[in-house]
């Protein structure tokens, strides 16, 4: 059997850092649920899915721990791919994805573009706005040594987006699309 690909899922925030909070929603809980569901859906694929969140071992982990430790751990594990999951807030609506500016037109960018359009096929059916494929100097994207993508999954302070984020069936469908996107972009075969 071929070596398994190592995929690190980084549900942003945790411990003392809730992330964004609005409309009764808390970012750290939503991205945690998403990460768990993505991992479940990739069971049986030729990949090792590792959720890295410092609050798992230290419930009092700080925002700094949650930001800097996951990329360090992914580098230590020599992961093949890094996916950071977030939910947006601050006045806007929709879905957007990021890679580091230095990754522009590199393999990580192409992987992201495919993953983005796969996820948008699902989100468009729910009338979620496509904010596009973007570039940003986020710490997790800058510090990781492997292709790394950050997803901002809707705005919890937008009424329509929040309604979707409160729906566990919607989150399950989103996780399904993220998992399927990873399968096709990273060519994850079944183990049978
Ligand atoms: Zn966040």
């Amino acid at each position: 059997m071929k070596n398994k690909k190592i995929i690190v899922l980084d549900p942003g925030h945790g411990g003392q850092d809730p992330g964004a909070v609005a409309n009764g929603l808390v970012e750290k809980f939503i991205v945690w649920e998403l990460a768990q569901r993505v991992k479940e859906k990739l069971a049986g694929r030729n990949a090792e899915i590792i959720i890295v969140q410092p609050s798992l071992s230290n419930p009092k982990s700080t925002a700094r721990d949650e930001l800097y430790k996951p990329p360090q751990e992914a580098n230590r594990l020599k992961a093949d791919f890094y996916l950071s999951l977030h939910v947006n807030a601050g006045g806007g609506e929709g879905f957007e994805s990021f890679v580091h500016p230095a990754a522009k037109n590199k393999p990580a960018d192409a992987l992201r573009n495919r993953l983005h359009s796969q996820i948008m096929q699902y989100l468009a059916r729910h009338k979620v706005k496509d904010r596009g494929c973007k570039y940003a100097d986020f710490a997790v994207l800058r510090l990781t040594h492997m292709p790394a993508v950050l997803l901002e999954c809707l705005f919890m302070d937008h009424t329509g987006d929040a309604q979707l984020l409160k729906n566990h069936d919607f989150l399950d469908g989103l996780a399904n699309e993220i998992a399927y996107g990873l399968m096709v972009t990273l060519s994850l075969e079944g183990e049978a």
Side-chain angles (χ1 to χ4, degrees), residues 67 84 86 96-101 134-144 150-152:
L67 186 58
S84 187
H86 287 258
E96 59 196 4
S97 63
F98 293 87
V99 292
H100 194 268
K134 300 183 177 181
Y135 303 88
D137 184 27
F138 292 142
V140 295
L141 301 178
R142 183 174 65 248
L143 298 171
T144 37
L150 184 145
L151 304 179
E152 286 283 3

Side-chain angles (χ1 to χ4, degrees), residues 46-95:
N46 196 22
E48 191 173 351
I49 314 300
I50 301 174
I51 297 178
V52 175
Q53 192 174 55
S55 60
L56 285 176
S57 53
N58 173 18
K60 294 191 167 170
S61 64
T62 62
R64 198 180 161 76
D65 293 335
E66 294 293 336
L67 186 58
Y68 289 101
K69 287 191 173 172
Q72 285 168 4
E73 179 65 3
N75 291 342
R76 193 186 67 76
L77 293 164
K78 297 189 167 48
D80 297 288
F81 190 76
Y82 187 95
L83 184 66
S84 187
L85 298 167
H86 287 258
V87 178
N88 228 330
E93 65 171 299
F95 170 79

Side-chain angles (χ1 to χ4, degrees), residues 95-101 104-105 108-120 129-136 138 141 149-152:
F95 170 79
E96 59 196 4
S97 63
F98 293 87
V99 292
H100 194 268
K104 200 166 192 168
N105 299 322
D109 202 1
L111 288 175
R112 180 277 296 274
N113 291 343
R114 251 183 112 181
L115 189 56
H116 183 106
S117 57
Q118 184 66 46
I119 294 167
M120 265 320 299
K129 185 178 170 188
D130 186 354
R131 302 172 64 84
C133 294
K134 300 183 177 181
Y135 303 88
F138 292 142
L141 301 178
V149 174
L150 184 145
L151 304 179
E152 286 283 3

